[in-house]
Amino acid sequence: MDTNWMQRRLLRRIVGAMTQTGVQLDGSDGIYSQIHCEFTVDCVLIGSNRLQDGWVTRALTISGVTGQSSVKNIVHLSSATRPEDIVLTALQRCNGPDPATQQCAINVLQDDVNSVTLQDTSLAWYLIGHSSSGAAPALLSSSPSLGWILPNPFLTIRNHSSFSQLGKQADGSFTYCADCKVTTPSSCSAANLSACACSGGGTGAFAKRTDGTWLCN
């Protein structure tokens, strides 16, 4: 096996300078990392050309991409095809922690397929799943400005909790409590949240942590 080829394939540093596109990936798979671009529109452009026989770009991981103010998009997912099974990690729009004082690209990500444009200083991860039976693929992201899209209409929490395990989790925590119940169902409402507090001895309820209290429904 050509291990030198594998190393070149898995780890490379590419600088795009004075070009329309730094790295263009159509129909490619594999892992590309440590990419830096200057003076280019798209540092990494994915799925920009229609391919023969309906082929799409899939099974692709891009990691560690950086740019500066001379770059428009750190990563651009084109809608010419519908890329799937795409993993983007460690995308950096700015050359430093403070976007007010550092040179920053315009967008950390432009995703034409899902009509998403992100201008976060950095993007830890962005995942596009596999499309099957015509359903839209899953879309998950670390960006707080983007909601998750799950193609399955059912969400199963396999590792449920019990009332004794709820504890003092951070606000916004969510779980299925196997033995919880609403404390006072008859008076539980948005105007009387204390009646919606979780208590033990029930047959199961979803529990969410709000303002320091576990609420059940």
Side-chain angles (χ1 to χ4, degrees):
M1 180 179 293
D2 184 357
T3 57
N4 290 331
W5 179 88
M6 290 184 64
Q7 291 175 353
R8 291 195 300 271
R9 176 68 168 170
L10 299 178
L11 180 60
R12 58 179 66 177
R13 184 170 184 85
I14 303 173
V15 178
M18 302 300 291
T19 61
Q20 178 76 14
T21 303
V23 182
Q24 183 171 340
L25 301 171
D26 293 311
S28 300
D29 59 7
I31 302 173
Y32 297 80
S33 65
Q34 300 300 309
I35 301 170
H36 177 78
C37 296
E38 300 178 6
F39 301 100
T40 186
V41 176
D42 299 314
C43 188
V44 177
L45 177 61
I46 300 171
S48 61
N49 291 319
R50 293 190 179 276
L51 304 174
Q52 292 182 346
D53 302 322
W55 187 261
V56 299
T57 302
R58 58 165 57 95
L60 179 64
T61 297
I62 305 293
S63 180
V65 186
T66 62
Q68 58 179 19
S69 58
S70 57
V71 176
K72 180 180 180 182
N73 300 307
I74 297 299
V75 173
H76 183 184
L77 286 162
S78 175
S79 59
T81 62
R82 299 190 66 86
E84 56 186 32
D85 301 326
I86 305 296
V87 179
L88 308 176
T89 66
L91 309 185
Q92 191 76 28
R93 185 172 70 90
C94 302
N95 284 340
D98 185 359
T101 60
Q102 304 295 328
Q103 294 184 334
C104 300
I106 297 175
N107 304 315
V108 70
L109 175 69
Q110 181 175 325
D111 179 356
D112 297 340
V113 177
N114 296 291
S115 301
V116 170
T117 299
L118 297 177
Q119 295 184 326
D120 306 50
T121 302
S122 61
L123 186 61
W125 50 270
Y126 189 88
L127 312 177
I128 297 178
H130 187 80
S131 179
S132 60
S133 303
L139 175 62
L140 308 175
S141 172
S142 62
S143 173
S145 62
L146 184 65
W148 290 11
I149 298 174
L150 300 175
N152 193 321
F154 300 100
L155 177 63
T156 302
I157 301 177
R158 298 187 182 277
N159 296 322
H160 58 255
S161 62
S162 63
F163 179 71
S164 63
Q165 294 175 318
L166 292 182
K168 296 181 179 180
Q169 304 294 331
D171 284 353
S173 299
F174 179 82
T175 185
Y176 179 75
C177 176
D179 63 349
C180 282
K181 64 180 181 180
V182 178
T183 299
T184 313
S186 60
S187 56
C188 173
S189 68
N192 185 20
L193 289 179
S194 61
C196 307
C198 298
S199 58
T203 57
F206 286 102
K208 59 183 178 181
R209 185 77 167 173
T210 303
D211 197 22
T213 301
W214 283 103
L215 303 179
C216 278
N217 54 27

